[in-house]
Amino acid sequence: MRAVRAGRWALGFSLSALALLPTAVRAGNDDGVLIGNPAAMTGGAVVATVDDGSALWYNPAGIGRVTTDSADVTASVMALRYYRSPDLVRGVGTEAAEDVVEFLSIPSALSYVRPLSETVHVGLGVFSPAASDIIFRSDLDAQRMGVEGKLSLAIVDTESRYVGVLGVAWTPHPTFRVGLALRGGYSSTFSTTQSSLRFIDPTTDWVSAYADTTSAKLGDFGFTLGVAWDPIPQLSFGVSVETPTVALVGFTRVSTIDVFAETNPDGTIIDADNSDDRSLDVQADPLEPAKVRMGAAYRLDRGRIEVNVDLITPLSSPNLGVDRHLQANVRVGGVHEIGDGLELGVGLFTDLSGHNGYGFEGGTDFVGGTVALHTEHRLGLAEEEESDEIVFSTYIGLRYAYGFGQVEGLLLDPTTPDFVQSVPAHLDVHEFMLHLGSAVSF
């Protein structure tokens, strides 16, 4: 059994690396949450026409279209994600499908826009573009030198990101608007891995157990510049450019413990190692790449059609583990007025990963669609009020996305010295979101 024991350090290393699996799954999902009510109506195709607080996120020039004080509250109140990888954790000649179901609530946006004059508008918003809460468990039979054993693995991974945006828009001409926004982001991640491998033969019983916990918090900032142009009433164009976000402050804590115990006729052996490392870094490293959003929309008698193209630039930031190539994504959406105060919206989108490699450094490509309803209720106000009416809007939408790609899996191979190997594994993701939103203009 001593020969078996030699592989426990490789086992602990591989399992600790596997804890990064959920991050790899989310890595390519740059627009995993549709921010704002207009985006829920058209699958995110809003750069040319957005006219509420979510313009702070997509194109700050759009807040110049707001004619009255406007407050927007949106929430993807339910997100259901189903992950399936048939060969994520497997032994030689055997594999067991690993399924993970994730359910969470995401408060995606809160914004307020106020006109200061006919040509100047300001807006303030808080957005949540990413959230995840994954629990993964797996058990696999193992064999080493003719001795039967079992591997048990459990991973918990959570992520949240919030971005505060302050923006201003200027309208030098009724058909042309310019906007500028300052973005400040806060990201928090927490993951823990627990694993054990046990072998028993008639004379010896040994167990190798490994656990690690990693928490990280990061603060960053960036800018967005946008323009919106309506050359004719039926046609609109929009372009926004996001600078790379720069990480300023980061805190990381990593705790690990590795324990080995063996019982045989000569007695019991126990060996353990542990560590607890903390770091607070003040830095100026790029975190997210620059992004260019371009959109064109054509207005019909009872609706509109819009097409958007996003270009995400390459970025290499070794200190933060970022390595991305040039990537483009497309969104197409339309809105149709089906009755007085009632609109139907549909959209299609791609959300392809720009990360290089597969597994921990790679990502998962997504394609999907949306369908949503928008109802509007107008309430007249007394003559002495500053505004003639107050408008209440309600949005209900569904979003589905299918993800596909590769992540780094785990192979138990008793024919190799290290026993545990890292290998590519296929991944499928099905994502369902229910969007509920409301807005009030006065």
Side-chain angles (χ1 to χ4, degrees):
M1 293 299 296
R2 300 287 178 165
V4 179
R5 180 184 177 185
R8 73 186 184 94
W9 302 110
L11 172 68
F13 175 81
S14 296
L15 293 180
S16 66
L18 192 63
L20 297 177
L21 165 67
T23 302
V25 172
R26 297 188 306 269
N29 217 358
D30 292 302
D31 287 300
V33 178
L34 294 176
I35 300 296
N37 296 314
M41 295 285 289
T42 60
V46 296
V47 176
T49 58
V50 62
D51 58 359
D52 69 350
S54 64
L56 293 164
W57 183 262
Y58 291 103
N59 183 355
I63 65 174
R65 291 192 172 97
V66 178
T67 57
T68 61
D69 287 12
S70 175
D72 296 89
V73 180
T74 67
S76 298
V77 296
M78 183 184 72
L80 177 66
R81 298 178 180 131
Y82 172 71
Y83 304 86
R84 180 174 177 82
S85 180
D87 48 5
L88 181 63
V89 181
R90 63 189 188 273
V92 174
T94 62
E95 61 182 36
E98 302 297 345
D99 300 340
V100 177
V101 177
E102 178 188 18
F103 180 82
L104 68 161
S105 176
I106 308 170
S108 61
L110 174 64
S111 62
Y112 175 74
V113 177
R114 179 179 178 85
L116 297 183
S117 67
E118 292 184 357
T119 60
V120 179
H121 295 67
V122 295
L124 176 66
V126 179
F127 307 100
S128 178
S132 182
D133 186 1
I134 294 177
I135 300 176
F136 169 82
R137 296 183 178 90
S138 180
D139 293 292
L140 185 68
D141 293 332
Q143 189 180 76
R144 179 72 164 171
M145 299 176 61
V147 180
E148 298 295 331
K150 181 177 286 293
L151 168 70
S152 296
L153 172 68
I155 297 173
V156 176
D157 184 276
T158 62
E159 177 200 26
S160 60
R161 177 166 173 78
Y162 298 94
V163 181
V165 184
L166 177 63
V168 58
W170 176 48
T171 307
H173 188 274
T175 64
F176 186 78
R177 301 168 180 85
V178 181
L180 178 66
L182 169 65
R183 311 189 313 272
Y186 169 79
S187 301
S188 175
T189 61
F190 174 85
S191 65
T192 181
T193 303
Q194 299 176 3
S195 61
S196 66
L197 180 62
R198 184 179 186 183
F199 287 95
I200 303 176
D201 67 12
T203 61
T204 307
D205 181 358
W206 74 258
V207 176
S208 178
Y210 178 89
D212 71 30
T213 299
T214 302
S215 61
K217 305 181 188 301
L218 195 65
D220 59 90
F221 80 97
F223 295 92
T224 304
L225 175 66
V227 297
W229 180 40
D230 306 323
I232 59 176
Q234 294 81 18
L235 191 62
S236 295
F237 297 98
V239 177
S240 68
V241 179
E242 300 178 9
T243 66
T245 60
V246 178
L248 294 179
V249 179
F251 174 79
T252 304
R253 180 175 181 179
V254 181
S255 303
T256 64
I257 183 169
D258 193 353
V259 179
F260 172 78
E262 177 182 328
T263 301
N264 56 48
D266 297 329
T268 299
I269 300 173
I270 299 178
D271 187 12
D273 290 303
N274 70 286
S275 64
D276 186 12
D277 299 321
R278 310 182 191 191
S279 63
L280 177 63
D281 299 319
V282 179
Q283 54 198 357
D285 293 322
L287 175 64
E288 294 181 333
K291 179 184 292 187
V292 180
R293 301 181 189 263
M294 300 171 287
Y298 184 77
R299 292 179 175 83
L300 307 171
D301 291 339
R302 298 177 64 86
R304 70 179 186 275
I305 299 174
E306 181 162 350
V307 178
N308 285 182
V309 176
D310 295 350
L311 294 178
I312 304 170
T313 63
L315 176 64
S316 178
S317 183
N319 291 337
L320 297 176
V322 178
D323 183 17
R324 301 190 57 151
H325 59 262
L326 181 66
Q327 183 63 60
N329 282 298
V330 179
R331 292 168 179 78
V332 180
V335 176
H336 178 66
E337 184 181 351
I338 58 178
D340 188 19
L342 181 62
E343 290 181 326
L344 171 68
V346 295
L348 298 172
F349 62 87
T350 67
D351 192 9
L352 308 180
S353 172
H355 292 254
N356 291 319
Y358 73 89
F360 307 152
E361 291 78 27
T364 304
D365 294 326
F366 285 84
V367 295
T370 62
V371 58
L373 286 174
H374 166 216
T375 63
E376 192 173 83
H377 302 278
R378 298 177 178 272
L379 178 64
L381 300 178
E383 294 183 358
E384 61 269 17
E385 299 292 340
E386 294 184 5
S387 177
D388 295 333
E389 61 180 7
I390 184 170
V391 181
F392 297 94
S393 298
T394 302
Y395 298 81
I396 302 175
L398 293 174
R399 176 186 187 271
Y400 169 76
Y402 170 67
F404 52 94
Q406 284 187 327
V407 291
E408 194 164 355
L410 190 67
L411 173 65
L412 276 64
D413 187 352
T415 65
T416 61
D418 290 336
F419 183 44
V420 177
Q421 298 182 40
S422 176
V423 294
H426 181 74
L427 177 71
D428 291 307
V429 184
H430 297 276
E431 181 180 74
F432 304 87
M433 282 192 179
L434 172 65
H435 175 98
L436 293 181
S438 61
V440 57
S441 300
F442 47 93

